Amino acid sequence: MTAAQRASLSHRSRTRADICESWVNRIEDDDAPAPEMASINPDVIERARKNEFLVTRATQADNAIKYIGDRVHVDGPPVRIPFEPASFAARIGATTIQSAAGLMAELDTAGLVVWSVPSSTGKRTGVADLTLNGWREYEEITRGAPSRRYGFFAWEFGREVTKRIFREVLKPAFEARGYPLKDMNDLAQPGLIDHIMQHRIRSASFVIVDLTDHNRGSYWEGGFAQGIDKPVVYIMHKPAFDENPPHFDLNHYTIVFWGVDGETDDVFLERLISTLEQGGLLGI
């Protein structure tokens, strides 16, 4: 899109164009294979049309801190951030270059980054580094300190028997305990799906992984969560386990079974919550 074309757009259209540009830039920036993608349905499309998936300012701040910290590890300080092209704004989820620059100024005021725009660059490039507090924040972001009170549920989308246990048993029970259980359909937003997945898992208080269908994305999500010391509990439909057990690497992990012959959903739920409590998740 040329500057003239962009200037001719209304503010709302321009915002949508920047969101699309964000998707493209993020995809071009990472060649890693994405995990299983959430389904796109009419509700998701309608919410996207209404711009309900704009990345929040707090998430933009986390993304900016992580970007700077990652670049310092690779290139050393300080990190040069050019305003054109708008790839930095796209990577952190800001809709405009001006919004991204304003965020950096806010982070500087908050004492998390040292930010300046030297006149020698013609005001076209910013220079950034993390402060000590910024590095502490970076460590929390990369290690996955929970910033949201919810649980993340990884499963094979579309399987009716699993959909029932998720929507009719797990979601109401965890909602009542103050820990809403969400999957990627609940947390959809623009961007590269693996970036979003990682952020959602990092922000969650715990992760529940259903192994019923041996979904590779679910295995990946469970492994990623364990790699950042996130509490993870594996569950599986007992008849499916009897027919085809999960990968042998999970033999030494506790698997909470559901759909056990003669057992009610309440018994399964009690065992699952007890397992989470024993794993160190307090207050549930």
Side-chain angles (χ1 to χ4, degrees), residues 147-284:
S147 59
R148 305 288 188 274
R149 190 181 171 93
Y150 69 83
F152 184 89
F153 186 66
W155 64 298
E156 172 76 33
F157 291 108
R159 184 179 176 93
E160 289 302 318
V161 65
T162 312
K163 184 186 297 183
R164 185 197 71 81
I165 206 72
F166 173 51
R167 294 184 176 175
E168 298 180 17
V169 179
L170 296 178
K171 282 180 77 75
F174 282 91
E175 182 80 38
R177 288 167 172 79
Y179 283 86
L181 193 61
K182 301 178 181 292
D183 67 358
M184 281 302 293
N185 277 325
D186 297 316
L187 299 169
Q189 68 174 67
L192 189 61
I193 188 69
D194 55 342
H195 289 176
I196 297 169
M197 186 86 69
Q198 292 172 28
H199 176 75
R200 296 308 187 185
I201 292 174
R202 285 192 179 101
S203 299
S205 298
F206 58 90
V207 176
I208 297 175
V209 180
D210 182 80
L211 302 172
T212 299
D213 294 282
H214 302 277
N215 179 268
R216 293 182 180 181
S218 298
Y219 278 111
W220 183 93
E221 291 155 52
F224 176 80
Q226 286 188 245
I228 58 173
D229 296 324
K230 188 70 61 177
V232 179
V233 175
Y234 294 96
I235 67 173
M236 191 170 186
H237 193 220
K238 187 60 165 64
F241 176 88
D242 293 338
E243 182 179 339
N244 185 18
H247 193 275
F248 66 88
D249 284 341
L250 292 175
N251 285 346
H252 55 294
Y253 288 99
T254 298
I255 298 176
V256 182
F257 295 113
W258 55 275
V260 177
D261 188 33
E263 184 177 277
T264 66
D265 292 335
D266 287 340
V267 174
F268 155 66
L269 193 59
E270 183 179 344
R271 282 204 316 272
L272 176 61
I273 291 175
S274 175
T275 302
L276 279 166
E277 289 176 332
Q278 293 172 14
L281 182 63
L282 304 178
I284 192 168

